[in-house]
Amino acid sequence: RAKKKGVSQLVYFNTRMVDELRDRSMMLSELKESLDNQMFTLMYQPQVDLNTHQVVGVEALCRWRNKQNEQVSPDVFIPLAEQSGLILSLGEWVLHKALDDLHRIRCIKPFVRMAVNVSTLQFNDPDFEKVVSNALALAGLSGNCLDIEITESVGVLGSVEVEEKLARLKKLGVMISIDDFGTGFSSLSYLDKLSADQLKIDKSFVSCMNPINSGSNIADMIVALGRKFHLNVIAEGIETEEQFNALKAQGCHQGQGYWFSKPLVIDDLVNWLEQK
Ligand code: C2E
Ligand code: MG
Ligand code: MG
Ligand code: MG
């Protein structure tokens, strides 16, 4: 009996693996087709100064619908695009599209910056700076319109290789943010060498904020780190007024989250900005 059960489990496991592999390769070929057929879209989430309530930036967030017209989370399709190398062309499309849309945004709010997520593979591509400067040139925009969000996984932050690359990007005027700060596994020893401009507090550190632990949480410590190392700090995932007030009281500069606005399609963002 035990043997029989063991066998059936084995079979179940195998078919599941085969299913997963088939799903992945189907999704991958769909992803490739989607890029050719311009099936990706971008949504934009406002980034707000916590003191003045002014919109200082918007973050471009990629969206994809598969053939069944189901919305697939970027947490699923971005890693797949990364593993397959498709992220290089997808990432380039995102840059072009986001900077193109920034013109419409700047008609209403002239100093708003566009924040674009850049994956590790993109950042480590030897052509990355060229891709960025070409996208800026094509849009007729200067580097200070753009904020590039990288994560700790791009390599050893503070290392010569990464810092040289960041320095070249900064020469273009581009702003650099460390996304999901505190969720990676790198040490903090790089902070004094880091030529980034901004730390983004991951939403997991914001969602656990409550009146009881306020003042002794991780978000609070990241704000203090930012102050110490002269880095701007922005919190993501602000969903409540309590979180907003606590972050503001701690001296966090900026924030984004559902409490201000969900990510919006460009037309809705333009309306939202006009109403502000
Ligand atoms: P991220 O860059 O850390 O983006 C923040 C995520 O939090 C977004 O999820 C956003 O929609 C969501 N969010 C914003 N405000 C709130 C809030 O108040 N509450 C909650 N619960 N969530 C909030 P999304 O759009 O699903 O993106 C997930 C991740 O996928 C992003 O995390 C980013 O790492 C990646 N991603 C999205 N677009 C791109 C892209 O164009 N290129 C690359 N390389 N990665 C992207
Ligand atoms: Mg981001
Ligand atoms: Mg983030
Ligand atoms: Mg995140």
Side-chain angles (χ1 to χ4, degrees):
R1 207 188 215 174
K3 196 176 170 195
K4 211 172 175 186
K5 197 176 163 206
V7 168
S8 68
Q9 271 177 352
L10 194 69
V11 169
Y12 168 72
F13 185 59
N14 274 330
T15 44
R16 203 193 61 191
M17 273 172 44
V18 170
D19 278 353
E20 272 178 13
L21 272 173
R22 202 193 38 223
D23 285 355
R24 269 173 53 110
S25 71
M26 257 173 58
M27 200 188 273
L28 190 57
S29 62
E30 263 189 68
L31 273 177
K32 285 185 181 139
E33 268 177 54
S34 299
L35 198 60
D36 296 333
N37 301 328
Q38 319 208 326
M39 299 285 283
F40 290 96
T41 53
L42 291 181
M43 293 191 98
Y44 299 101
Q45 187 176 43
Q47 302 178 318
V48 178
D49 184 304
L50 298 188
N51 289 303
T52 65
H53 294 260
Q54 286 289 315
V55 178
V56 289
V58 295
E59 178 177 3
L61 294 158
C62 196
R63 295 291 177 262
W64 178 58
R65 277 183 186 280
N66 65 14
K67 277 192 178 140
Q68 287 75 47
N69 205 30
E70 299 155 336
Q71 180 107 33
V72 181
S73 163
D75 289 323
V76 174
F77 73 80
I78 293 286
L80 202 57
E82 230 170 289
Q83 286 156 28
S84 63
L86 190 73
I87 194 72
L88 293 180
S89 29
L90 176 58
E92 200 170 342
W93 175 82
V94 169
L95 261 176
H96 286 273
K97 178 70 180 150
L99 288 176
D100 193 33
D101 281 344
L102 185 59
H103 286 295
R104 283 189 64 190
I105 297 165
R106 286 199 155 205
C107 285
I108 307 156
K109 289 262 183 292
F111 299 108
V112 167
R113 217 185 324 244
M114 180 58 70
V116 173
N117 291 286
V118 165
S119 83
T120 297
L121 200 79
Q122 266 178 290
F123 182 81
N124 289 324
D125 175 17
D127 283 338
F128 182 60
E129 292 114 274
K130 222 184 295 163
V131 168
V132 171
S133 55
N134 284 346
L136 286 165
L138 200 72
L141 291 168
S142 59
N144 59 15
C145 299
L146 182 64
D147 173 10
I148 285 178
E149 296 192 4
I150 58 172
T151 62
E152 291 166 287
S153 66
V154 294
V156 183
L157 293 175
S159 69
V160 178
E161 293 81 15
V162 172
E163 287 311 309
E164 279 179 357
K165 192 147 202 172
L166 291 180
R168 287 196 297 273
L169 285 165
K170 292 201 57 165
K171 262 209 182 120
L172 298 172
V174 172
M175 175 172 167
I176 310 284
S177 298
I178 310 297
D179 204 352
D180 307 335
F181 181 75
T183 62
F185 38 78
S186 51
S187 76
L188 292 177
S189 58
Y190 67 80
L191 275 174
D192 57 347
K193 302 186 210 87
L194 184 70
S195 43
D197 305 278
Q198 177 163 270
L199 303 177
K200 288 197 81 172
I201 303 177
D202 190 72
K203 60 177 179 288
S204 62
F205 302 133
V206 174
S207 63
C208 66
M209 289 175 77
N210 59 55
I212 296 149
N213 72 6
S214 149
S216 62
N217 53 39
I218 294 172
D220 186 31
M221 287 186 260
I222 296 176
V223 173
L225 278 176
R227 196 175 296 125
K228 171 96 182 140
F229 292 99
H230 310 289
L231 295 159
N232 193 60
V233 178
I234 179 166
E236 67 173 28
I238 301 178
E239 292 184 355
T240 67
E241 186 169 8
E242 287 74 34
Q243 291 164 352
F244 163 78
N245 283 331
L247 285 159
K248 188 177 156 177
Q250 287 163 6
C252 182
H253 308 101
Q254 289 158 13
Q256 60 187 101
Y258 297 165
W259 192 62
F260 300 105
S261 168
K262 291 202 167 187
L264 301 168
V265 298
I266 183 67
D267 289 340
D268 292 343
L269 176 75
V270 164
N271 287 336
W272 187 88
L273 288 170
E274 272 169 347
Q275 259 140 54
K276 264 207 116 182

